[in-house]
Amino acid sequence: NGMVASQLDAPASPLALINDEDFEIYRLKVNNYDAETGDIDLSFALASETRLSGNIADSTINQLMAVALQDDIDSASRLDTINALQPVAAGDKVFNALIHVLTTDQNPGVRYQAVRSLVSLAHEEKVRDALRYALTEDVNQGVRIEAFNALTEYQDDQTLEVFRQQMEADSNEYIRAQARSIVEAVEGVSITL
């Protein structure tokens, strides 16, 4: 009976798993399709739900979460992940994932949460680069204000250059005024616009 054989071979065939609710297909890609013969070549990933319990301080767990932040998880899950990662944000993989989210995520709420998590790490050069990027490029005022406030303690040349730019260009009055007063204090001059 061919049916019994295919049941026994189930793990070998992804098709046997598609009706199994424990698995999910994602990243489906048509590599090749011949319309005349109907021959098709597909690649896809098969995900199964796995559960893991432990402590956020465990690097295995926080690194897995950091990787997930850069994958295709929904906004609510990204927010929950960022919140959970806050106490371990200083971990190399974690702060790189938070930088990735801050500079690329489509959701302003997720970027805001990422910038909040990075504030305490502004002493790291890579974090300051991301904060400067967010200050000049992010469309969301809340994200820009958080980035700006985090950068005010670090008045290096690059940051001051961004402040000079934002004191005239930023749509937010608070950022324009604060940037202007910092630049004036550093340069010892009064800037009139």
Side-chain angles (χ1 to χ4, degrees), residues 56-67 69-70 84-100 117-118 120-121 123-124 126-127:
I56 194 66
D58 179 339
S59 65
T60 315
I61 291 177
N62 62 52
Q63 289 181 17
L64 174 117
M65 292 173 75
V67 169
L69 266 183
Q70 296 171 64
L85 288 171
Q86 250 170 338
V88 293
D92 205 32
K93 269 209 171 75
V94 177
F95 89 69
N96 283 322
L98 291 169
I99 286 170
H100 175 81
S117 297
L118 286 166
S120 63
L121 301 170
H123 57 278
E124 298 275 359
K126 280 173 77 172
V127 173

Side-chain angles (χ1 to χ4, degrees), residues 4-6 8 36 42 53 55 60 73 75 80 84 98 104-105 127 132 142-143 154 161 171 173 179 184-185 190-191:
V4 174
S6 73
L8 295 172
E36 295 203 1
L42 301 173
S53 299
N55 190 289
T60 315
I73 60 175
S75 294
D80 290 343
L98 291 169
T104 63
D105 205 286
V127 173
R132 285 188 287 260
V143 173
Y154 301 93
E161 193 47 50
S171 62
E173 174 59 39
E184 285 176 352
S190 173
I191 300 165

Side-chain angles (χ1 to χ4, degrees), residues 16-92:
L17 298 170
I18 59 174
N19 294 323
D20 187 332
E21 283 166 27
D22 295 338
F23 288 89
E24 193 179 321
I25 292 174
Y26 66 107
R27 287 196 201 133
L28 181 76
K29 187 173 150 219
V30 176
N31 299 317
N32 211 330
Y33 175 58
D34 184 330
E36 295 203 1
T37 64
D39 290 346
I40 191 161
D41 176 38
L42 301 173
S43 56
F44 56 90
L46 202 56
S48 63
E49 184 157 313
T50 306
R51 195 160 176 172
L52 181 63
S53 299
N55 190 289
I56 194 66
D58 179 339
S59 65
T60 315
I61 291 177
N62 62 52
Q63 289 181 17
L64 174 117
M65 292 173 75
V67 169
L69 266 183
Q70 296 171 64
D71 282 344
D72 188 23
I73 60 175
D74 62 71
S75 294
S77 297
R78 286 199 308 276
L79 277 172
D80 290 343
T81 300
I82 292 168
N83 288 337
L85 288 171
Q86 250 170 338
V88 293
D92 205 32

